[in-house]
Amino acid sequence: MDFLRLSDIPAAQLAGKRIFIRADFNVPFTADGALSDDTRIRTALPGIRACLDAGAAVMVTSHLGRPEEGALTAAESLAPVASHLAKLLGQPVPLVRDWTDGRFELAPGGIVMLENCRGNPGEKADDPVLAARIARFVDLYVNDAFGTAHRRECTLHALALAAPVACAGPLMTAELDALGRALAQPARPLAAIVAGSKVSTKLTILESLADKVDVLVLGGGIANTFLAARGCPVGASLHEPDLLDAARAVERRLAEHAGVVWLPEAVVVADRFAPDALTRTVHVDDVPEGWMILDIGPDSRDSLADVLQRAGTIVWNGPVGVFEMDAFAAGTRALATAVAASPAYSIAGGGDTLAAIARFGITDHIDYISTGGGAFLEFLEGRELPALAALRARARPASRRLPPAPVFENEPEPA
């Protein structure tokens, strides 16, 4: 992909420069305010450390939650993130609350956390005036926040266009390389697993993948809609009757290049949606009226494993059953095991998928686990991600060398 990478810039050029890193620190907290998972902070460390080790002055920011612009609350502050990052780096990470004018102290080799960027008026509107103001005290902009790359916001898009030089950090680079390998130049056969409750929420993904993949594996309510489109009874199963024609169109698009849709032939049905419901395993032609499909059956698990064993590349988004309930977890467990055991290059993304990977203990057996949720899905759709579009626009050779001095006219005075 045509974009400048942080690794393309010699470390000697980073020394003494003011580097603005847009990270994704939208981390979860417990009910009492304690940070419950620092994965997103840890994945940003390589980029931050590379800049610090080169002797740069580092500014890092992120969004956290959905604050009202100009009215940030304590619950939306990055203060606990700054404190945790300081422990991981082994050096102070002061929090700067009002930072868009650049009037804060920052020496080479030091780092500051700039308060929640979504609290700044103009952030969500992708305000070019705000971007220009910030760009005055930035020498190099680094986007290392793939999880928010689908958002057209100031610190993700406008600032990348306004800064003297803009590049992708190590995490962003790894995400784009992995997705590019999986979709742009995949080892064949390419199998995509797409599951979820509704076809309507993933129809554009299915239509895009129909032109690319060799096997489209479907699960959940999406599979139910496709089964109904084939004339199978689905009882009280979650499905979308108004999208049967859309499902048939996806199958036709796959067939045009000899691709196929994989659907289960045997399913686990229940008389109600509950952990202690009565269950049966039936053929898809024999789903009882009033019952609902909540998992795939044993024969289908074996069939799915065989498909994935023969794949060259696997893209996985979504479980094939209601795996949160033990009674309906066997299908997703079998799917996870099959992906892990396959010799194919595998990439997985999406909240439910990551939860399944963690539950069934296969994290170390997936080639790449995407940190993006919405960005991962929009990339699968074939959309141009705004943050990536900005980096591509700045990839001209003339933009690849850092300026010898800060780009602002007057050095900001320390607060």
Side-chain angles (χ1 to χ4, degrees):
M1 292 185 179
D2 186 18
F3 56 88
L4 181 64
R5 303 159 188 252
L6 180 61
S7 59
D8 293 333
I9 303 174
Q13 288 191 29
L14 302 179
K17 297 298 186 293
R18 290 176 177 244
I19 299 181
F20 184 105
I21 300 178
R22 177 51 160 98
D24 181 6
F25 292 154
N26 191 32
V27 293
F29 291 87
T30 62
D32 59 358
L35 196 154
S36 61
D37 184 352
D38 70 349
T39 300
R40 289 182 174 178
I41 301 175
R42 290 181 179 275
T43 55
L45 291 178
I48 294 171
R49 283 183 170 140
C51 295
L52 290 173
D53 290 347
V58 178
M59 304 163 274
V60 59
T61 192
S62 171
H63 73 288
L64 180 64
R66 300 177 182 274
E68 179 183 348
E69 291 186 356
L72 199 67
T73 67
E76 297 152 343
S77 173
L78 288 173
V81 177
S83 177
H84 191 75
L85 180 60
K87 293 177 183 178
L88 295 176
L89 291 174
Q91 71 180 87
V93 182
L95 179 70
V96 181
R97 300 188 185 279
D98 297 312
W99 53 268
T100 59
D101 60 1
R103 295 180 180 276
F104 49 86
E105 294 183 1
L106 179 59
I111 178 173
V112 293
M113 177 75 71
L114 306 180
E115 184 59 284
N116 193 334
C117 56
R118 280 192 182 165
N120 297 325
E123 172 66 18
K124 295 202 72 175
D126 196 30
D127 183 7
V129 175
L130 174 61
R133 187 187 314 145
I134 298 170
R136 291 183 67 250
F137 57 87
V138 173
D139 293 321
L140 172 65
Y141 167 89
V142 180
N143 190 325
D144 219 13
F146 176 78
T148 55
H150 59 308
R151 304 292 186 192
R152 187 179 290 272
E153 298 178 359
C154 182
T155 56
L156 297 164
H157 181 259
L159 181 56
L161 297 175
V165 182
C167 69
L171 179 58
M172 173 72 84
T173 297
E175 291 273 2
L176 295 174
D177 285 348
L179 287 165
R181 176 177 174 181
L183 295 177
Q185 297 178 319
R188 299 283 180 174
L190 168 58
I193 304 156
V194 181
S197 58
K198 295 182 178 182
V199 170
S200 55
T201 60
K202 294 186 178 179
L203 180 58
T204 52
I205 297 173
L206 297 173
E207 291 173 339
S208 177
L209 290 176
D211 297 326
K212 300 181 178 76
V213 306
D214 302 296
V215 184
L216 184 58
V217 175
L218 303 177
I222 292 176
N224 298 339
T225 298
F226 275 72
L227 287 170
R230 289 184 179 183
C232 300
V234 294
S237 305
L238 177 64
H239 71 294
E240 294 174 281
D242 57 331
L243 289 178
L244 301 188
D245 286 341
R248 296 183 188 109
V250 169
E251 290 219 52
R252 287 195 297 270
R253 288 175 70 164
L254 274 156
E256 289 174 0
H257 62 87
V260 297
V261 169
W262 181 94
L263 289 169
E265 293 187 357
V267 292
V268 177
V269 297
D271 64 341
R272 56 196 175 91
F273 189 82
D276 58 349
L278 295 177
T279 64
R280 300 181 195 171
T281 298
V282 300
H283 190 274
V284 291
D285 291 329
D286 300 317
V287 175
E289 185 175 350
W291 288 54
M292 57 187 67
I293 301 170
L294 297 181
D295 199 6
I296 62 175
D299 290 346
S300 295
R301 296 168 206 158
D302 293 341
S303 168
L304 179 54
D306 182 61
V307 167
L308 299 180
Q309 183 64 29
R310 291 184 280 110
T313 305
I314 297 171
V315 178
W316 178 17
N317 175 248
V320 293
V322 186
F323 75 98
E324 297 88 350
M325 298 183 188
D326 289 343
F328 313 111
T332 301
R333 180 185 293 106
L335 167 61
T337 301
V339 173
S342 174
Y345 175 78
S346 56
I347 179 170
D352 287 343
T353 308
L354 271 58
I357 288 171
R359 174 172 178 179
F360 301 122
I362 62 163
T363 300
D364 294 339
H365 301 283
I366 304 297
D367 289 295
Y368 194 83
I369 297 176
S370 174
T371 60
F376 179 80
L377 293 177
E378 291 197 15
F379 195 100
L380 294 186
E381 288 182 43
R383 294 191 192 183
E384 175 77 289
L385 305 182
L388 179 54
L391 293 179
R392 283 176 169 161
R394 300 304 310 283
R396 300 183 301 273
S399 298
R400 290 175 181 254
R401 186 171 183 83
L402 292 177
V407 296
F408 45 81
E409 295 178 1
N410 299 307
E411 180 75 12
E413 298 175 0

Short mmCIF file of all heavy atoms in Angstrom, two decimals, residues 175-205:
data_model
loop_
_atom_site.label_atom_id
_atom_site.label_comp_id
_atom_site.label_asym_id
_atom_site.label_seq_id
_atom_site.Cartn_x
_atom_site.Cartn_y
_atom_site.Cartn_z
N GLU A 175 -1.54 -3.86 10.65
CA GLU A 175 -2.95 -4.13 10.30
C GLU A 175 -3.13 -4.10 8.78
O GLU A 175 -3.75 -5.00 8.19
CB GLU A 175 -3.85 -3.08 10.95
CG GLU A 175 -3.94 -3.17 12.45
CD GLU A 175 -5.04 -4.11 12.92
OE1 GLU A 175 -5.70 -4.74 12.06
OE2 GLU A 175 -5.23 -4.21 14.14
N LEU A 176 -2.63 -3.05 8.15
CA LEU A 176 -2.84 -2.90 6.72
C LEU A 176 -2.08 -3.96 5.93
O LEU A 176 -2.57 -4.45 4.90
CB LEU A 176 -2.42 -1.50 6.29
CG LEU A 176 -3.27 -0.37 6.89
CD1 LEU A 176 -2.68 0.99 6.53
CD2 LEU A 176 -4.72 -0.47 6.44
N ASP A 177 -0.90 -4.32 6.39
CA ASP A 177 -0.16 -5.39 5.72
C ASP A 177 -0.91 -6.72 5.82
O ASP A 177 -0.98 -7.48 4.85
CB ASP A 177 1.24 -5.53 6.33
CG ASP A 177 2.18 -4.43 5.90
OD1 ASP A 177 1.85 -3.68 4.97
OD2 ASP A 177 3.27 -4.31 6.51
N ALA A 178 -1.45 -7.01 7.01
CA ALA A 178 -2.17 -8.27 7.21
C ALA A 178 -3.44 -8.32 6.36
O ALA A 178 -3.74 -9.33 5.71
CB ALA A 178 -2.51 -8.44 8.69
N LEU A 179 -4.19 -7.22 6.36
CA LEU A 179 -5.43 -7.20 5.57
C LEU A 179 -5.12 -7.24 4.08
O LEU A 179 -5.83 -7.89 3.31
CB LEU A 179 -6.23 -5.95 5.92
CG LEU A 179 -6.92 -5.99 7.28
CD1 LEU A 179 -7.38 -4.60 7.70
CD2 LEU A 179 -8.10 -6.95 7.26
N GLY A 180 -4.07 -6.55 3.69
CA GLY A 180 -3.68 -6.59 2.29
C GLY A 180 -3.28 -7.99 1.85
O GLY A 180 -3.65 -8.45 0.77
N ARG A 181 -2.55 -8.68 2.72
CA ARG A 181 -2.15 -10.05 2.40
C ARG A 181 -3.37 -10.96 2.30
O ARG A 181 -3.43 -11.84 1.43
CB ARG A 181 -1.19 -10.58 3.47
CG ARG A 181 -0.79 -12.03 3.28
CD ARG A 181 0.22 -12.49 4.30
NE ARG A 181 0.49 -13.91 4.19
CZ ARG A 181 1.33 -14.59 4.96
NH1 ARG A 181 1.99 -13.95 5.91
NH2 ARG A 181 1.50 -15.88 4.79
N ALA A 182 -4.34 -10.74 3.16
CA ALA A 182 -5.52 -11.60 3.19
C ALA A 182 -6.47 -11.35 2.03
O ALA A 182 -7.12 -12.29 1.56
CB ALA A 182 -6.26 -11.42 4.52
N LEU A 183 -6.58 -10.10 1.58
CA LEU A 183 -7.59 -9.77 0.58
C LEU A 183 -7.03 -9.36 -0.77
O LEU A 183 -7.64 -9.64 -1.80
CB LEU A 183 -8.49 -8.65 1.11
CG LEU A 183 -9.34 -9.01 2.34
CD1 LEU A 183 -10.12 -7.79 2.81
CD2 LEU A 183 -10.30 -10.15 2.02
N ALA A 184 -5.89 -8.69 -0.79
CA ALA A 184 -5.36 -8.20 -2.06
C ALA A 184 -4.60 -9.28 -2.82
O ALA A 184 -4.76 -9.42 -4.04
CB ALA A 184 -4.45 -6.99 -1.82
N GLN A 185 -3.78 -10.04 -2.11
CA GLN A 185 -3.00 -11.09 -2.75
C GLN A 185 -3.05 -12.37 -1.91
O GLN A 185 -2.03 -12.85 -1.42
CB GLN A 185 -1.55 -10.64 -2.94
CG GLN A 185 -1.40 -9.43 -3.87
CD GLN A 185 0.03 -8.98 -3.99
OE1 GLN A 185 0.78 -8.94 -3.02
NE2 GLN A 185 0.45 -8.65 -5.20
N PRO A 186 -4.23 -12.94 -1.75
CA PRO A 186 -4.37 -14.10 -0.86
C PRO A 186 -3.88 -15.40 -1.49
O PRO A 186 -3.94 -15.57 -2.71
CB PRO A 186 -5.88 -14.16 -0.63
CG PRO A 186 -6.46 -13.65 -1.92
CD PRO A 186 -5.52 -12.56 -2.36
N ALA A 187 -3.40 -16.28 -0.63
CA ALA A 187 -3.17 -17.65 -1.06
C ALA A 187 -4.55 -18.29 -1.22
O ALA A 187 -5.43 -18.12 -0.39
CB ALA A 187 -2.34 -18.40 -0.03
N ARG A 188 -4.75 -19.02 -2.29
CA ARG A 188 -6.04 -19.63 -2.57
C ARG A 188 -6.09 -21.09 -2.12
O ARG A 188 -5.07 -21.75 -2.08
CB ARG A 188 -6.34 -19.55 -4.07
CG ARG A 188 -6.41 -18.13 -4.63
CD ARG A 188 -7.71 -17.46 -4.27
NE ARG A 188 -7.79 -16.08 -4.80
CZ ARG A 188 -8.87 -15.32 -4.72
NH1 ARG A 188 -9.96 -15.78 -4.13
NH2 ARG A 188 -8.85 -14.10 -5.21
N PRO A 189 -7.29 -21.57 -1.79
CA PRO A 189 -8.59 -20.90 -1.78
C PRO A 189 -8.70 -19.89 -0.64
O PRO A 189 -8.13 -20.09 0.43
CB PRO A 189 -9.60 -22.04 -1.58
CG PRO A 189 -8.87 -23.30 -1.89
CD PRO A 189 -7.43 -23.03 -1.53
N LEU A 190 -9.43 -18.81 -0.88
CA LEU A 190 -9.70 -17.80 0.12
C LEU A 190 -11.08 -18.07 0.73
O LEU A 190 -12.08 -18.07 0.01
CB LEU A 190 -9.67 -16.41 -0.51
CG LEU A 190 -10.20 -15.24 0.34
CD1 LEU A 190 -9.45 -15.12 1.65
CD2 LEU A 190 -10.12 -13.93 -0.46
N ALA A 191 -11.09 -18.32 2.03
CA ALA A 191 -12.34 -18.59 2.74
C ALA A 191 -12.62 -17.44 3.69
O ALA A 191 -11.76 -17.06 4.48
CB ALA A 191 -12.25 -19.90 3.51
N ALA A 192 -13.82 -16.88 3.61
CA ALA A 192 -14.23 -15.82 4.52
C ALA A 192 -15.38 -16.31 5.37
O ALA A 192 -16.36 -16.85 4.85
CB ALA A 192 -14.65 -14.57 3.74
N ILE A 193 -15.24 -16.16 6.68
CA ILE A 193 -16.28 -16.55 7.62
C ILE A 193 -16.97 -15.28 8.09
O ILE A 193 -16.35 -14.41 8.70
CB ILE A 193 -15.68 -17.29 8.83
CG1 ILE A 193 -14.87 -18.51 8.36
CG2 ILE A 193 -16.78 -17.72 9.81
CD1 ILE A 193 -13.82 -18.95 9.36
N VAL A 194 -18.24 -15.16 7.78
CA VAL A 194 -19.01 -13.98 8.16
C VAL A 194 -20.26 -14.43 8.89
O VAL A 194 -21.07 -15.17 8.33
CB VAL A 194 -19.39 -13.12 6.94
CG1 VAL A 194 -20.17 -11.88 7.39
CG2 VAL A 194 -18.16 -12.71 6.15
N ALA A 195 -20.38 -14.01 10.12
CA ALA A 195 -21.54 -14.41 10.90
C ALA A 195 -22.04 -13.21 11.69
O ALA A 195 -21.33 -12.24 11.90
CB ALA A 195 -21.19 -15.56 11.85
N GLY A 196 -23.26 -13.30 12.12
CA GLY A 196 -23.87 -12.21 12.86
C GLY A 196 -25.36 -12.38 12.86
O GLY A 196 -25.90 -13.32 12.27
N SER A 197 -26.04 -11.46 13.51
CA SER A 197 -27.48 -11.62 13.66
C SER A 197 -28.26 -11.25 12.41
O SER A 197 -29.28 -11.86 12.11
CB SER A 197 -27.99 -10.79 14.85
OG SER A 197 -27.66 -9.42 14.66
N LYS A 198 -27.76 -10.24 11.64
CA LYS A 198 -28.56 -9.74 10.53
C LYS A 198 -27.75 -9.60 9.24
O LYS A 198 -26.63 -9.12 9.25
CB LYS A 198 -29.16 -8.38 10.88
CG LYS A 198 -30.17 -8.42 12.02
CD LYS A 198 -30.76 -7.04 12.26
CE LYS A 198 -31.81 -7.09 13.37
NZ LYS A 198 -32.42 -5.74 13.59
N VAL A 199 -28.38 -10.01 8.13
CA VAL A 199 -27.80 -9.78 6.82
C VAL A 199 -27.72 -8.28 6.54
O VAL A 199 -26.76 -7.79 5.95
CB VAL A 199 -28.64 -10.48 5.72
CG1 VAL A 199 -28.18 -10.05 4.33
CG2 VAL A 199 -28.54 -11.99 5.87
N SER A 200 -28.72 -7.54 7.00
CA SER A 200 -28.80 -6.11 6.68
C SER A 200 -27.59 -5.34 7.18
O SER A 200 -27.16 -4.37 6.54
CB SER A 200 -30.07 -5.50 7.27
OG SER A 200 -30.16 -5.73 8.66
N THR A 201 -27.01 -5.75 8.30
CA THR A 201 -25.85 -5.03 8.84
C THR A 201 -24.56 -5.39 8.12
O THR A 201 -23.56 -4.68 8.24
CB THR A 201 -25.68 -5.30 10.34
OG1 THR A 201 -25.50 -6.71 10.55
CG2 THR A 201 -26.91 -4.83 11.11
N LYS A 202 -24.55 -6.50 7.38
CA LYS A 202 -23.33 -6.95 6.73
C LYS A 202 -23.54 -7.24 5.24
O LYS A 202 -22.71 -7.90 4.62
CB LYS A 202 -22.76 -8.18 7.43
CG LYS A 202 -22.29 -7.89 8.86
CD LYS A 202 -21.61 -9.07 9.50
CE LYS A 202 -21.11 -8.72 10.91
NZ LYS A 202 -20.46 -9.86 11.58
N LEU A 203 -24.65 -6.73 4.69
CA LEU A 203 -24.94 -7.02 3.28
C LEU A 203 -23.85 -6.49 2.36
O LEU A 203 -23.42 -7.18 1.43
CB LEU A 203 -26.30 -6.43 2.90
CG LEU A 203 -26.73 -6.65 1.44
CD1 LEU A 203 -26.79 -8.14 1.12
CD2 LEU A 203 -28.08 -5.99 1.17
N THR A 204 -23.36 -5.27 2.61
CA THR A 204 -22.33 -4.72 1.73
C THR A 204 -21.03 -5.51 1.85
O THR A 204 -20.28 -5.63 0.87
CB THR A 204 -22.07 -3.24 2.05
OG1 THR A 204 -21.81 -3.09 3.45
CG2 THR A 204 -23.26 -2.39 1.67
N ILE A 205 -20.75 -6.05 3.04
CA ILE A 205 -19.57 -6.89 3.21
C ILE A 205 -19.72 -8.17 2.38
O ILE A 205 -18.80 -8.59 1.67
CB ILE A 205 -19.36 -7.26 4.68
CG1 ILE A 205 -19.10 -6.00 5.51
CG2 ILE A 205 -18.22 -8.26 4.86
CD1 ILE A 205 -19.06 -6.26 6.99
#
